[in-house]
């Protein structure tokens, strides 16, 4: 796929969950576009691997182990930030899937705390760290197709991903006058290391249900985020950009 070229030199992008999966692709895409990237991730192992893999971008990178659910962990990371911020991508998210009848309080609390309270903690904590002179401040929140349409076995996850959308629209209204745009991206079913381990027939069956006849790639999400973060998207505010091949049509 031919990627559109963006220039994010002199911009700083914070990516939560930025050391693995979709977040790692976001990290590499923004680095390639010239940005400095702050990678916050819970997994020290993923951080170490990412740091090794991205060695050639060392001067553009800052890594920290952060648990977005823990305000003290975040406060430490925010104090240690080497740069002021232009873009935050709230990407860290987890699932704990079970039918509602079987879902436990632990499953519910874990998903709400990470996907929703984590979103609040990071955005609130970073608000004062944005580059005040920038007219192009960006908050991009990763929701899900499940937040728009629901999904069996994901009452906790769907509630958070719908919550992400309400949060996005409200912040878009409140922060627009302060030079921010706030948008959400709602991925469909995206190929990650987890799906790569699934049998080909299962993946083909899933792809057949998508009007464009393929599963999503992490590049599809990165391309949407690059666009929303760019100056070209400065009149897009409070939207939910579905990146799902039209699966729900
Ligand atoms: P991954 O699990 O591959 O990566 C998420 C990263 O976030 C991991 O490194 C994970 O660490 C980290 N993380 C988890 N909890 C925390 C926390 N409390 N604090 C900081 N970091 C944390 O997920 P995906 O790349 O698949 O998903 C990324 C986002 O995209 C999520 O918000 C997800 O809901 C959303 N999404 C994904 C879809 C898909 O098909 N993959 C579809 C729709 C939406 P650790 O490994 O230690 O848990």
């Amino acid at each position: 796929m031919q990627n559109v070229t963006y220039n994010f030199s002199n911009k700083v992008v914070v990516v939560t969950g930025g050391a693995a999966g979709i977040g790692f692709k976001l990290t590499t895409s923004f680095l390639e576009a010239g940005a400095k990237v702050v990678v916050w991730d819970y997994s020290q192992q993923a951080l170490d691997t990412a740091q090794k893999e991205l060695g050639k971008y060392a001067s553009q990178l800052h890594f920290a182990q952060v648990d977005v659910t823990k305000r003290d962990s975040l406060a430490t990371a925010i104090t240690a930030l080497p740069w002021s911020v232009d873009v935050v991508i709230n990407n860290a998210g987890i699932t704990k899937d079970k039918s509602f009848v079987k879902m436990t309080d632990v499953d519910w609390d874990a998903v709400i705390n990470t996907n929703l309270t984590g979103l609040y903690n990071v955005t609130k904590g970073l608000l004062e760290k944005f580059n005040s002179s920038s007219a192009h401040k960006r908050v991009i929140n990763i929701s899900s197709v499940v937040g728009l349409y629901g999904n069996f076995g994901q009452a906790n996850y769907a509630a958070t991903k719908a919550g992400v959308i309400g949060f996005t629209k409200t912040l878009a209204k409140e922060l627009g006058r302060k030079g921010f745009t706030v948008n959400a991206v709602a991925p469909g079913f995206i190929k990650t290391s987890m799906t790569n381990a699934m049998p080909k027939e299962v993946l083909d069956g899933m792809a057949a249900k998508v009007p464009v006849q393929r599963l999503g790639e992490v590049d599809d999400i990165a391309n949407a985020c690059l666009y929303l973060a760019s100056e070209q998207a400065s009149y897009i505010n409070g939207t939910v950009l579905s990146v799902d091949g039209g699966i729900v049509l």
Side-chain angles (χ1 to χ4, degrees):
M1 192 190 305
Q2 180 75 45
N3 286 340
V4 180
T5 308
Y6 292 98
N7 182 359
F8 283 96
S9 46
N10 303 319
K11 300 281 184 190
V12 174
V13 183
V14 177
V15 185
T16 69
I22 292 170
F24 184 67
K25 185 67 208 180
L26 294 171
T27 296
T28 51
S29 298
F30 278 94
L31 287 170
E32 284 162 7
K36 293 192 176 80
V37 180
V38 175
V39 181
W40 282 351
D41 205 295
Y42 185 68
S43 164
Q44 188 58 53
Q45 197 188 344
L47 284 166
D48 292 342
T49 308
Q51 195 158 9
K52 260 187 218 138
E53 221 166 295
L54 299 173
K56 69 172 174 172
Y57 295 107
S59 64
Q60 289 165 248
L61 275 162
H62 175 79
F63 291 93
Q65 187 183 19
V66 173
D67 181 346
V68 299
T69 69
K70 302 261 177 346
R71 295 193 183 121
D72 53 346
S73 152
L74 264 169
T76 307
I78 288 169
T79 307
L81 277 175
W83 310 296
S84 58
V85 173
D86 298 282
V87 180
V88 57
I89 307 183
N90 284 300
N91 164 77
I94 62 165
T95 52
K96 298 267 179 214
D97 297 352
K98 275 188 199 112
S99 67
F100 187 61
V101 171
K102 292 184 182 151
M103 189 170 286
T104 65
D105 294 351
V106 173
D107 298 327
W108 177 266
D109 290 345
V111 174
I112 299 287
N113 286 341
T114 302
N115 299 7
L116 211 46
T117 308
L119 170 69
Y120 163 82
N121 290 342
V122 171
T123 312
K124 182 85 173 170
L126 282 177
L127 219 45
E128 296 304 315
K129 292 291 171 184
F130 272 84
N131 178 359
S132 54
S133 63
S134 170
H136 298 286
K137 297 186 270 284
R138 302 280 185 262
V139 178
I140 300 171
N141 301 320
I142 306 299
S143 176
S144 166
V145 66
V146 165
L148 289 162
Y149 301 100
N151 199 23
F152 191 96
Q154 292 196 307
N156 49 1
Y157 184 73
T160 63
K161 293 302 185 180
V164 168
I165 293 170
F167 178 84
T168 299
K169 289 180 182 290
T170 302
L171 258 59
K173 287 189 173 173
E174 292 187 9
L175 300 182
R177 71 195 68 188
K178 297 181 193 289
F180 284 83
T181 64
V182 186
N183 291 292
V185 171
F189 196 72
I190 306 300
K191 275 171 30 186
T192 58
S193 50
M194 191 179 74
T195 52
N196 291 345
M198 291 165 76
K200 186 173 179 308
E201 318 79 77
V202 175
L203 294 175
D204 288 348
M206 291 163 87
K209 293 191 181 125
V210 184
V212 301
Q213 298 288 289
R214 68 171 177 88
L215 299 179
E217 305 281 347
V218 286
D219 289 90
D220 293 313
I221 308 306
N223 287 333
C225 291
L226 285 163
Y227 174 59
L228 288 175
S230 72
E231 292 186 11
Q232 287 85 345
S234 59
Y235 206 57
I236 298 177
N237 189 28
T239 199
V240 183
L241 179 52
S242 290
V243 185
D244 62 8
I247 192 165
V248 292
L249 297 176

